[in-house]
Amino acid sequence: MTLLDVKVSDLGRYTLIAPRGELDVTNSSRFRDELLTAVGSARAAVIVDLSRLGFCDSSGMGVLVQGYKRAQERDIAYEVSGAHGRVATILDLTGLYEGLHVRADLNMAVQALSA
């Protein structure tokens, strides 16, 4: 099993969810549960910070899309930040980099939500 830690923080208007480690088929269902719960309880927006994620396979990408769709259903904002290395490459190759509103870092995601 691949190691994944998920931290969820309430930042007032925003809920921050930050996975750390590697996200793959062995742990994507746990991440999905945490992400969808966070989206379901968020007040105005969710930020998924990928800055501490070293790897993400297609199952993890699917979870990110599920979170986005759930946020749309709830009419709340959904931002992704901090993708780098292999994670950024996969987001780019799949077209999700633009579709999920990926920002360079957490500060840029907060700025985008504040605009």
Side-chain angles (χ1 to χ4, degrees):
M1 181 189 277
T2 307
L3 183 62
L4 179 73
D5 180 50
V6 181
K7 183 177 180 183
V8 179
S9 305
D10 182 358
L11 304 177
R13 285 185 52 208
Y14 315 125
T15 297
L16 174 67
I17 185 162
R20 179 180 64 174
E22 296 187 355
L23 176 55
D24 62 25
V25 70
T26 67
N27 54 30
S28 62
S29 63
R30 183 172 70 89
F31 180 63
R32 181 191 65 237
D33 293 345
E34 300 232 17
L35 177 60
L36 296 182
T37 297
V39 172
S41 64
R43 290 185 198 123
V46 171
I47 302 172
V48 183
D49 181 15
L50 303 179
S51 63
R52 296 169 52 188
L53 193 64
F55 176 79
C56 184
D57 71 4
S58 61
S59 63
M61 292 294 155
V63 172
L64 291 173
V65 171
Q66 286 177 341
Y68 176 75
K69 288 180 178 179
R70 178 72 53 88
Q72 284 185 314
E73 290 169 4
R74 290 203 56 229
D75 199 27
I76 63 171
Y78 184 89
E79 295 284 333
V80 177
S81 69
H84 59 90
R86 295 184 288 178
V87 176
T89 300
I90 291 175
L91 284 167
D92 188 41
L93 290 173
T94 59
L96 293 175
Y97 206 91
E98 291 181 14
L100 292 178
H101 310 288
V102 179
R103 310 298 176 179
D105 58 36
L106 184 57
N107 288 333
M108 292 189 78
V110 171
Q111 287 176 2
L113 292 170
S114 298

